[in-house]
Amino acid sequence: MGHSTTATGSPASADAPATGVAPRTAGHSKKARQTFKGAPAAGSRASGSGHAERVFLVQTAFAELGGSAHGPGEIAEFTGLDDSVVYRILQSGIYQRIFERVDRGLYRLRTSAAQLAFTALDHRLDGGISQTVLSELREATDSGLAFLYMVAPFSGAQRQCVDMAVGDSDLAELGMTPRDVLSVTRSLRTGASGRTILAYLPEVLQQRVLAEPVPDQAGPGVFRDNDALVESLAEVRDLGHALGYEECMAGWNSCAAPIMWDGSIMGAVLLLKLKSVMPVAPEGVIEATKEAAAELSRHGAARPAADQA
C-alpha cells in the first residue's frame, strides 16, 4: 500500500506498453531462448550429472517460458537440449506424474509439481515468529501498522495478507472495506508491498501483471503508466525496499521490503502510516522494515538438518 521513492504515478493509460521488461511469447526468438539461465550452449548437451541435470532443465523451462503448454521442440531450443532428449524426458515425466500431455505435441506441468512446492515450504515459518517480528516492527515505528504479505498460491501473480500487527485498528479505521482488500491489495501493481514482490518475480510473471488494469479502488498515487511502474521495480531492486505514497488508498503512506527464501521472492513486510504522520518515510522506518523482512527471510531460508550442521 503505498508510491515509489523517486518516481511518481502518471495519469497515462494503464494500457501503455511496458519497457524495461522484454515480453516473452510462444514465438520466442532463437536468441532469446538460448539465454536461458543454466542452459547449455545451443546445440550442445547438458554436462555435469547427465540425465538428472537435463530433467531439471526441462522442468525449469516450463516456468521460464510461461504460458500453459509447450512442445518438445520449443523446450529443446530454449534449453539447448536435443529434441529427442526432451521428448524422452517428457514421456518419462508423464509416467512419473510430473508432466501431462494436453494436446497433440503439447505438454505442461502437472499439479503434483505444486504439491512438491508445498512440501518444500512446510514448516518454513511458524506463525508465532511472524507475529513477534511484526509486533516488534510496530513498536519500533511508533505504532505503525505492520503487515505480512505472501505470494498467493492459487491466484496467479498476486499477494495475500497472512498476518498483521495493528493493535486496536480495523479495516474501517483504515478506510477500507473487505472488498477493497480483495480488489486492491491483492494486485501486485499497486502498493509498496505489491511492487516489492513484483520486482523480484520472473519476467514472464511481471508481464502478466503489467497487462492487468489498475484496480478501480486504487489510491491517487498508484502507478498508471507501465513505463513508470517498470522504472520503480528497478529502483526496488537497487534499494532493497519500496516507498509508497497513497497507492492503495488516499491518506496512507508506506514502506515495504522483500522476504526472500533461497533466492526466491516469497512475500514482503509492509509498514503503513497516515500521510499526516509520515509524509515521507524516515530512515528509521525504512531500516526497521528492512530488518523485519530480513528476519523473516532468515527464518524461512533452508538450513541443514541438525545431524548435518
Side-chain angles (χ1 to χ4, degrees):
M1 299 179 186
H3 217 322
S4 169
T5 52
T6 58
T8 56
S10 168
S13 169
D15 295 327
T19 60
V21 181
R24 287 178 173 173
T25 65
H28 278 293
S29 70
K30 190 171 185 178
K31 180 178 180 181
R33 288 172 181 159
Q34 293 173 358
T35 59
F36 169 49
K37 294 180 181 179
S44 66
R45 293 175 179 268
S47 59
S49 57
H51 181 68
E53 183 176 344
R54 295 184 180 102
V55 171
F56 290 133
L57 283 174
V58 171
Q59 289 178 313
T60 307
F62 280 95
E64 291 288 327
L65 282 167
S68 60
H70 304 284
E74 184 181 12
I75 295 172
E77 188 173 1
F78 189 76
T79 60
L81 298 173
D82 291 342
D83 289 43
S84 59
V85 171
V86 172
Y87 180 79
R88 289 196 298 272
I89 290 173
L90 291 173
Q91 296 310 303
S92 177
I94 290 175
Y95 178 77
Q96 299 295 335
R97 301 177 61 83
I98 299 300
F99 308 116
E100 62 180 348
R101 185 166 40 235
V102 296
D103 200 354
R104 183 177 180 85
L106 291 178
Y107 303 79
R108 68 185 178 193
L109 289 171
R110 288 183 64 97
T111 52
S112 57
Q115 186 175 13
L116 291 174
F118 288 134
T119 302
L121 294 175
D122 190 28
H123 304 306
R124 279 296 184 96
L125 188 62
D126 180 83
I129 294 174
S130 64
Q131 183 59 216
T132 297
V133 172
L134 294 178
S135 295
E136 291 176 348
L137 174 59
R138 175 171 166 77
E139 182 178 353
T141 56
D142 192 23
S143 299
L145 306 181
F147 299 84
L148 171 59
Y149 280 93
M150 303 296 282
V151 177
F154 295 115
S155 55
Q158 296 182 338
R159 59 185 159 142
Q160 180 179 9
C161 182
V162 299
D163 203 356
M164 64 182 73
V166 298
D168 296 329
S169 302
D170 56 26
L171 290 175
E173 180 182 341
L174 298 179
M176 298 185 70
T177 67
R179 178 173 294 182
D180 292 331
V181 173
L182 292 177
S183 63
V184 179
T185 64
R186 71 182 179 183
S187 172
L188 294 183
R189 65 174 300 146
T190 59
S193 61
R195 291 187 294 105
T196 294
I197 294 173
L198 182 61
Y200 294 94
L201 285 177
E203 291 179 5
V204 64
L205 295 181
Q206 289 185 353
Q207 286 298 320
R208 180 186 302 177
V209 174
L210 290 170
E212 297 173 356
V214 175
D216 292 337
Q217 298 89 348
V222 69
F223 286 91
R224 298 188 178 277
D225 176 69
N226 277 353
D227 290 348
L229 178 57
V230 169
E231 184 179 347
S232 80
L233 302 183
E235 186 177 55
V236 170
R237 293 189 295 269
D238 288 342
L239 299 177
H241 70 271
L243 297 182
Y245 299 102
E246 300 185 277
E247 285 187 52
C248 286
M249 52 193 169
W252 291 86
N253 290 342
S254 56
C255 176
I259 299 172
M260 309 290 292
W261 292 355
D262 303 335
S264 298
I265 183 67
M266 298 304 298
V269 170
L270 175 72
L271 191 285
L272 185 68
K273 300 195 81 168
L274 282 167
K275 176 183 177 181
S276 59
V277 176
M278 188 178 74
V280 176
E283 191 64 29
V285 166
I286 296 173
E287 291 305 314
T289 304
K290 293 172 73 171
E291 177 53 37
E295 181 67 14
L296 293 177
S297 295
R298 287 191 289 269
H299 280 286
R303 293 176 295 279
D307 59 351
Q308 296 177 332

